[in-house]
């Protein structure tokens, strides 16, 4: 099964990013093929140098750096979401694949299951 | 062709229409000759498993709605253990393990790990998410 998890919300203001990541990790550890896509405000999940501890929260976004352990190799960002917020790929906490409109559409089309919590 | 559906519910029972829509969908599935592998409650949806629900008599009771579907169609309804415990929805077993003074999961609901959801989604023809 080829699963895609789409992150559309920023981290830390709600638990949905962490809970969606937990779901993706569970799927990957049961040998599903998992990709993560960051769109809209979801791109803030990947911003480097965040300090959630200052507001009493656990820094779960670090896990995006350790996904190789779960055989999750593909992280995608929609190009317009970066430009919308004036962000550069260098400001992200890891290397990602930046998708143009056609690639974005194609990724969703070829995924057998698509989730967005 | 008869299809098997896996149902994911993440919407809160109080601030979304997720549970109401999901229950109608499950009922419609069976009426049309399809079936449901199981229902998985995640995120704020797990609040529906709290057995201390006590709505007014003339209000919709979404917990009872799930219980009725579970018995009518022999349907498994699972609530995710980690997000439930975090929100104070705790089974007897987990309450004893954590040394909590009480437990509050309605007996018709199973407390399950994310592995149950992975199993459901990978053994179904379709996955439908109600948020």
């Amino acid at each position: 099964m080829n699963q895609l998890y789409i992150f559309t919300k920023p981290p830390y203001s709600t638990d949905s990013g962490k809970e969606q990541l937990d779901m993706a990790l569970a799927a990957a550890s049961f040998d599903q093929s998992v990709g993560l896509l960051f769109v809209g405000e979801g791109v803030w999940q990947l911003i480097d140098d965040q300090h959630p501890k200052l507001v009493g929260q656990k820094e779960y976004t670090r896990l995006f750096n350790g996904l190789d352990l779960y055989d999750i190799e593909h992280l995608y960002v929609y190009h317009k979401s970066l430009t919308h917020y004036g962000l550069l790929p260098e400001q992200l906490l890891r290397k990602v694949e930046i998708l143009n409109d056609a690639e974005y559409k194609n990724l969703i089309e070829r995924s057998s299951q698509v989730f967005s919590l | 062709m008869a299809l098997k559906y896996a149902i994911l519910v993440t919407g809160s029972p109080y601030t979304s229409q997720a549970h109401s829509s999901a229950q109608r969908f499950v009922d419609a599935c069976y009426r049309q000759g399809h079936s449901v592998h199981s229902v998985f409650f995640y995120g704020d949806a797990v609040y529906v498993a709290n057995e201390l629900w006590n709505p007014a008599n003339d209000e919709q009771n979404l917990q009872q709605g799930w219980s009725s579907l579970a018995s009518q169609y022999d349907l498994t309804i699972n609530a995710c253990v980690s997000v439930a415990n975090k929100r104070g929805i705790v089974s007897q077993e987990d309450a004893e393990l954590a040394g909590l003074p009480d437990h509050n999961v309605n007996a018709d609901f199973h407390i399950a790990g994310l592995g149950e959801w992975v199993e459901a989604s990978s053994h179904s023809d379709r996955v439908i998410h109600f948020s």
Side-chain angles (χ1 to χ4, degrees):
Chain A
M1 200 67 76
N2 180 7
Q3 298 184 336
L4 180 67
Y5 292 82
I6 307 182
F7 291 78
T8 59
K9 299 189 182 97
Y12 304 117
S13 55
T14 75
D15 265 3
S16 88
K18 181 182 184 300
E19 290 181 353
Q20 176 155 269
L21 177 59
D22 286 343
M23 187 177 267
L25 295 179
S29 60
F30 281 86
D31 294 331
Q32 306 293 312
S33 164
V34 168
L36 310 181
L37 169 63
F38 299 83
V39 183
E41 288 189 292
V43 294
W44 294 98
Q45 297 273 347
L46 292 176
I47 290 298
D48 199 10
D49 201 26
Q50 305 204 46
H51 301 278
K53 278 182 194 146
L54 294 175
V55 289
Q57 294 206 43
K58 188 170 151 183
E59 193 180 350
Y60 76 87
T61 44
R62 275 187 192 192
L63 284 170
F64 289 120
N65 260 330
L67 294 175
D68 294 352
L69 286 173
Y70 295 86
D71 287 328
I72 298 177
E73 287 157 10
H74 296 288
L75 275 78
Y76 309 96
V77 171
Y78 181 46
H79 74 116
K80 278 184 184 154
S81 303
L82 283 182
T83 50
H84 180 79
Y85 293 107
L87 294 170
L88 300 168
E90 303 87 89
Q91 290 170 280
L92 305 182
L93 52 77
R94 59 165 289 159
K95 220 168 143 41
V96 296
E97 293 165 55
I98 307 215
L99 305 182
N100 64 29
D101 287 9
E103 291 163 336
Y104 174 68
K105 184 167 173 278
N106 182 262
L107 173 67
I108 292 173
E109 277 176 0
R110 67 184 156 86
S111 301
S112 44
Q113 292 180 347
V114 179
F115 298 98
S116 186
L117 299 194
Chain B
M1 190 181 81
L3 296 175
K4 186 174 279 188
Y5 287 85
I7 308 290
L8 174 68
V9 187
T10 59
S12 160
Y14 310 109
T15 54
S16 80
Q17 201 184 309
H19 291 263
S20 181
S21 301
Q23 286 173 10
R24 285 163 193 276
F25 184 87
V26 167
D27 194 47
C29 271
Y30 281 98
R31 285 173 190 275
Q32 306 267 330
H34 304 295
S35 63
V36 174
H37 179 286
S38 56
V39 178
F40 194 79
F41 301 108
Y42 196 57
D44 282 356
V46 298
Y47 285 123
V48 81
N50 184 342
E51 71 173 348
L52 300 178
W53 265 43
N54 189 21
N57 286 335
D58 58 352
E59 283 178 18
Q60 184 182 29
N61 189 328
L62 293 167
Q63 182 176 88
Q64 212 167 64
W66 284 121
S67 292
S68 303
L69 288 170
S71 74
Q72 186 181 352
Y73 297 120
D74 196 21
L75 175 67
T76 304
I77 49 179
N78 291 317
C80 176
V81 61
S82 58
V83 304
N85 275 301
K86 188 165 72 175
R87 288 167 171 82
I89 312 297
V90 186
S91 68
Q92 184 169 3
E93 191 187 347
D94 291 329
E96 283 166 7
L97 276 170
L100 297 173
D102 214 336
H103 54 90
N104 62 348
V105 173
N106 179 305
D108 295 328
F109 292 75
H110 300 270
I111 295 297
L114 275 166
E116 300 277 335
W117 167 246
V118 178
E119 206 257 323
S121 60
S122 56
H123 289 90
S124 299
D125 303 302
R126 299 282 187 280
V127 170
I128 312 283
H129 175 203
F130 294 88
S131 61

